Amino acid sequence: MPKNLRNIAIVAHVDHGKTTLVDQLLKQCGFFRNNQVVPERILDNNDLEKERGITIMSKNTSIFYGDTKINIVDTPGHADFGGEVERIVKMVDGVLLLVDAYEGPMPQTRFVLKKALQAGLKPLVVINKIDRPDARPREVVDEVLELFIDLEADDKQLDFPVIYASAKAGYAKSSLDDPAVDMKPLLDAILKYIPAPEGNPDQPLQMVISSIDYDPYVGRIGIGKICQGQIHKGQEVVICNPQGKAEKVRVNTLYVFEGLKRTELEAAFAGEIVAVSGLEGINIGDTLCSPENIAPVDFVDIEEPTIAMNF
Ligand code: GDP
């Protein structure tokens, strides 16, 4: 079991600081080479996104904290992509629910929290922007609790841990009275409260494709979590789609997310979130299976994107 691995998503209302938080974690976890120029807003440099003005593709990253790798799966910045949020919360073992310490929970906070609670996750609440002069973190925690109750969270979910942070200033703390030092308290909380992924690496491969990416050199890329088994570069796999179609293909290249890069590797095991190329016919919701055990994983309905709210 991959004990030194955590798969998380950061969910938030737009502008509550998701991009800033990920940038800060990347900075403090030392994933930048010394000579690498840090772009102002790392997760927003996607051409397609610029074109459409909203986040439509998931961009993932990972950081190392001590010997634990934390995969951070990006979630769409717009609630109209409801189906995608649903798929992402199914891929991770925990979510950080990021809430602005002044604004409090907003419509999209409610929407993404609902999806996370429905997926059975216990969110770690991060009250961000506590440096704001108008911040009211205590009240906002109460409002978050009310929201959990309203969304019928179970007892375990209601007992959520809270971290107070300024993603912009680069600190997090488990109590408002703690000194502001660095992001360590948040990283410690992730390790403490978010479970390591489950999945037996010795069983036949099952990997669910949760998002699709494109690369000018390798073409279509399927991204998802290995639910069980292992996947190797060059391995023969069967793409099973939810309609029951099965197609035998070969994995061309296998990647994991490291910092802001995709790094090639030979093999990956249950629990990891990986990207695979060479599978042109692949779609969201498909399962990659080993040929000797063709067993697609039941996935969420992808036909109707949920229209969550009107802006
Ligand atoms: P996103 O839409 O959730 O990705 O939000 P961004 O990370 O783009 O942040 C939205 C705005 O809030 C930006 O102007 C950030 O500089 C600002 N911001 C993010 N985190 C903090 C914080 O901790 N304190 C303050 N004061 N501003 C923040």
Side-chain angles (χ1 to χ4, degrees):
M1 221 68 100
K3 292 253 179 294
N4 294 340
L5 181 63
R6 296 291 185 279
N7 295 321
I8 65 166
I10 304 175
V11 295
H13 189 78
V14 65
D15 276 349
H16 282 196
K18 205 162 52 121
T19 313
T20 311
L21 179 67
V22 175
D23 286 1
Q24 192 60 251
L25 291 173
L26 281 162
K27 269 182 206 151
Q28 293 199 16
C29 289
F31 241 110
F32 293 110
R33 288 191 304 266
N34 288 338
N35 59 353
Q36 195 173 344
V37 179
V38 181
E40 180 89 335
R41 289 171 54 97
I42 295 151
L43 294 183
D44 274 0
N45 56 2
N46 180 296
D47 286 340
L48 197 56
E49 177 174 329
K50 276 189 198 131
E51 214 172 88
R52 301 200 186 171
I54 43 175
T55 306
I56 63 153
M57 274 160 56
S58 290
K59 289 145 289 173
N60 305 323
T61 184
S62 75
I63 51 173
F64 268 94
Y65 180 53
D67 59 0
T68 303
K69 182 183 181 193
I70 304 171
N71 283 320
I72 304 172
V73 181
D74 190 34
T75 52
H78 196 279
D80 277 1
F81 295 92
E84 183 151 0
V85 174
E86 222 159 276
R87 289 191 291 275
I88 284 162
V89 293
K90 288 214 166 183
M91 176 162 58
V92 297
D93 305 289
V95 293
L96 306 191
L97 181 74
L98 194 65
V99 185
D100 184 313
Y102 167 72
E103 277 196 359
M106 296 295 279
Q108 208 180 331
T109 315
R110 182 188 178 90
F111 174 73
V112 288
L113 176 61
K114 189 173 168 192
K115 297 288 177 202
L117 294 175
Q118 282 171 349
L121 299 175
K122 183 179 166 183
L124 166 57
V125 173
V126 181
I127 307 295
N128 189 35
K129 308 197 190 183
I130 59 166
D131 61 289
R132 280 179 69 149
D134 51 3
R136 42 180 200 94
R138 287 187 179 85
E139 279 169 56
V140 167
V141 171
D142 289 342
E143 291 167 13
V144 170
L145 178 61
E146 279 166 32
L147 182 60
F148 271 68
I149 294 167
D150 202 33
L151 292 172
E152 296 174 350
D154 65 28
D155 287 350
K156 264 165 82 190
Q157 290 168 328
L158 280 175
D159 188 26
F160 54 82
V162 180
I163 293 287
Y164 301 90
S166 170
K168 195 171 171 181
Y171 63 82
K173 38 198 195 173
S174 48
S175 135
L176 284 167
D177 310 321
D178 290 350
V181 185
D182 52 25
M183 298 307 287
K184 237 170 117 15
L186 174 59
L187 292 156
D188 288 333
I190 292 171
L191 265 51
K192 182 171 172 190
Y193 295 109
I194 294 176
E198 292 189 357
N200 186 342
D202 299 323
Q203 283 178 337
L205 169 71
Q206 276 181 327
M207 171 179 163
V208 178
I209 303 302
S210 301
S211 54
I212 296 285
D213 206 348
Y214 298 90
D215 182 289
Y217 298 102
V218 298
R220 204 165 165 86
I221 294 172
I223 300 163
K225 184 165 84 168
I226 304 171
C227 307
Q228 61 172 49
Q230 11 189 308
I231 189 163
H232 299 259
K233 193 177 164 172
Q235 180 182 343
E236 203 167 58
V237 296
V238 174
I239 306 175
C240 302
N241 79 9
Q243 287 76 41
K245 208 178 126 215
E247 183 196 355
K248 210 183 241 188
V249 289
R250 206 169 275 284
V251 174
N252 188 349
T253 321
L254 191 61
Y255 309 90
V256 280
F257 299 92
E258 282 183 353
L260 297 170
K261 297 178 306 190
R262 273 198 301 260
T263 308
E264 267 191 68
L265 77 168
E266 291 296 318
F269 303 89
E272 256 292 7
I273 291 173
V274 295
V276 288
S277 76
L279 318 177
E280 281 309 312
I282 205 162
N283 282 304
I284 288 172
D286 291 351
T287 308
L288 298 187
C289 305
S290 36
E292 67 273 18
N293 183 58
I294 300 175
V297 175
D298 248 352
F299 209 36
V300 292
D301 180 21
I302 55 153
E303 299 303 322
E304 296 172 68
T306 319
I307 307 298
M309 55 176 290
N310 299 312
F311 283 99

